[in-house]
Amino acid sequence: MAMRRNNRLLEWLLCIFMVCAFSAYAVSGQVRYSIPEEMTVGSFVGNIAKDLGLEPQRLVAGRARVFTAGGSEYLRLDREKGQLLVKERMDREQLCLEISVCSFSFDVILENPMEMFRVTVEILDINDNSPVFPKKEIELEISESVLPGALFSIESAIDQDVGENTLQKYVLNPTDHFNLKIQGRLDVSENIEIVLQKAMDRERTKHHYLTLTAVDGGDPRRSGTVKIHIVVLDANDNAPIFSQATYKASVLENAGKGTLVTTVSATDADEGSSANIEFYFEHATATIRELFTIDPISGEVKVVGDIDYERNKQFRIKVKAKDNGGLTNSCGIVIDVIDMNDNPPKITVMSFSSALPEDSVPGTIVAMINIQDLDSGDNAKVSCSIDRNLPFKIESALANYYNLVTDSVLDREQTSEYNVTITAVDGGYPPRSSKKTLSLKLSDVNDHAPQFQQGSYDAYVFENNASSLSFYSVSATDADWGPNARVSYFLEDGSLNGAPLSSYVTVNSDSGVLYAVKPFDYEQIKSFKIHVNAQDGGSPPLSGNVTINIFIKDQNDNAPQVLYPVQTGGSLVAEMVPRSADVGYLVTKVVAVDVDSGQNAWLSYKLQKATDRALFEVGLQNGEIRTIRQVTDKDAVKQKLTVIVEDNGQPSRSATVNVNVAVADSFPEVLSELTDFTVDREYNGNLTFYLVLALAVVSVLFIFSIIVLITVKIHRWRQNRLFFKSAANLPVIPYYPSVYPDGTMGTLQRVYNYEQKPPNNDWRFTQQGQRPGPSGTYRYSTSTQQRWTPYSKARAGPHPDGAGGAIVGTGPWPNPPTEAEQLQALMAVANEVSEATATLGPRYNAQFPMQHVPDYRQNVYIPGSTATLTTNPQQMMPQPALQGPPQAIPQVDVPNAAQTPASKKKTTKKDKK
């Protein structure tokens, strides 16, 4: 055991010595290493990065790897350290058999850029094999008559080591009758013979036992022995003799079984049974016994197995001839194997990138290919090619190495994948070929921007839409692939009516769906445009944009608005129709508008209710109210028509207007009859807590306002007292009728203006802003309408200028009024308003705010004076035209303002005194 441990230690020391002794060298991109066999897995072989002059980072960045054409990799590459290490145990005798110089080669391949380095590793022999004889014991039959000097062949020993480690010498023991004779080299072809030195006597010794020892030259030495048993026979004087010392023959590889290779022959000078010769293989290896056989009688050597030139190119066989007398002789047979083109070229892809960027320039290496043909001569000459219609070509780099490179510009959007078929053909006859297809995909480069199908789109959305409503969708396509084709949508900055577009519309960044942020109003915005940007996910990103014209579609969300006749809250407007009016007489025209559009704004007019439906009709399209028969004396003076105005929407909306018509020939007749007109009042029956609270607040404010108003009036009255005393003429005090409990007023809301001029003797009424019409002159006006004193209460008198006739509603006072009478007249008007307010009730006061009450005491002209009694200018502002009928709230009673006729008389008498 101790000796074995020492032997193993010596072997390891020898390995280390050989590794140090045989340093690596690199010449023109090639490196050669020498290592001993039987190195353990993981043992260090060499620093490949240093020996190639490369930085260790280059091995990592270039994804360096080892490629072996044969497929077996005995070494591996540690890229991080740049070292070559043993991957598999290597047995030189197994790899190279009898070849003394044993080596193998492989390639180290790097990418980015692609480089290749050839590495050759020589495997050095160590003395790991002892000489071995084919048999443990050899038996020889020798005749006792054999004379000294006779030779007898012995099968030689085999040592698989080479060089000094192989077989060096033989030792025979004992040597009293025999001695060794060695002819030639100590290898397979050597002839080991023992020589008879001293004649044998069978009667004295029938058996002789010898020991033959074979010793190699290793350190320590190894040896093997064989026992030789010699049997002494009677008389056989001549050994067989071959016709040739060495026979040469050839055989085709893949030759059929039973093919005759050669025939050996030998002769024996003896006669009889001693002349019978037997042939057999001496020291035949397992491979020889599997492939060949020899006929023991005829000496014919035939094929019995499958001969492969790629495995064995030549065979050396030793044949022994033996006669019946036990004498032997031997010869050699050398069989050369003739190569046949039985191997197609073998295509091996050493390096291949299945994904190639589409922007690769021409000449970019796609793959490195190795092609090997195990045949020889012309059978191993290979040509490589690919389809010429592809944008690639094959370039020869080194012997048996080819590069597949790009030959033109690539475009993934036109062709995204290529199947490149590589064809290798040898030079044999008939030629053999191989094909290998590489599937190459082009990786995308962001070279295309997103594209919309159109330059602009039209989107429609109805007004009054719900928030977050999706109303349109845009889509852009990108010819690229993967992240480069992932499109995101963005709304470009902009503003609309001073607000950012993002407050109106937003877009889903993934789907391109447009959403309305808030409801649209067609009456405010009819159309606008936005710009949507489509951006891909490439680096850097590319983008495209599109214009979207958004049109708001109208909905019937507005009812018609009546412009004429104007509806007022406190007084009425009446149209006068003379009793002499013919059929088709144009009474008035209802004018209405609808802020919607299209058919939603098409208006139609219909007579809903009428005092006498047989007297009037309304034009369906124009809203004209005309008589449909002759007016008679039996027709009532007071005619009330209700006209409904409808639009053409679905569903339709409508508005109603009341038209008061007076059938009369004179204005006084109208004044006496129209006191019975009623004013429609709308009540809201659903009172809530908030309405009650609002009513209370308005009432308090109203009372407070009345108190302030009375205080201001009293103050002004005191200031104007002296002014009234100096008036030479009596003032014209117009009379205003009261508001009756049924909501009617005894006034006809004619559009007349009371003309006021400096004091003179000519008082006349003028009509301003008139419009033509069949029933008199009218004008559209939103200012405070003038009131006329009813005929029954009017003072009549001659014109100041002496003209005939009487002025309705005015006239000279019989006696100049006193200051008290003037104040009483003013207070009487206020009292009547207060009574009307009390009659209408709190609901009426809440519905019509106080600030809209017209001041009936305004524009009172005092003849002979340049002063006009007016109220607060803020209470005389005209009302807007489209804000509906003016609203009036009667004023609160002023204490001690309303006086009885008796009180008036007393006051008058007192003033006279």
Side-chain angles (χ1 to χ4, degrees), residues 773-805:
S775 60
T777 58
Y778 300 84
R779 73 180 180 92
Y780 293 96
S781 175
T782 58
S783 62
T784 305
Q785 298 177 349
Q786 304 294 328
R787 271 48 175 188
W788 289 81
T789 305
Y791 181 78
S792 60
K793 296 183 181 182
R795 295 183 181 181
H799 286 283
D801 57 358

Side-chain angles (χ1 to χ4, degrees), residues 98 158 188 281-290 315-316:
E98 299 90 356
I158 298 173
V188 177
F281 291 147
E282 180 185 11
H283 189 16
T285 62
T287 302
I288 293 176
R289 289 194 297 268
E290 290 175 357
F315 297 97
R316 291 178 178 271

Side-chain angles (χ1 to χ4, degrees), residues 10-22:
L10 290 174
E11 290 178 2
W12 278 106
L13 292 175
L14 179 62
C15 293
I16 296 174
F17 172 76
M18 289 181 177
V19 171
C20 296
F22 295 93

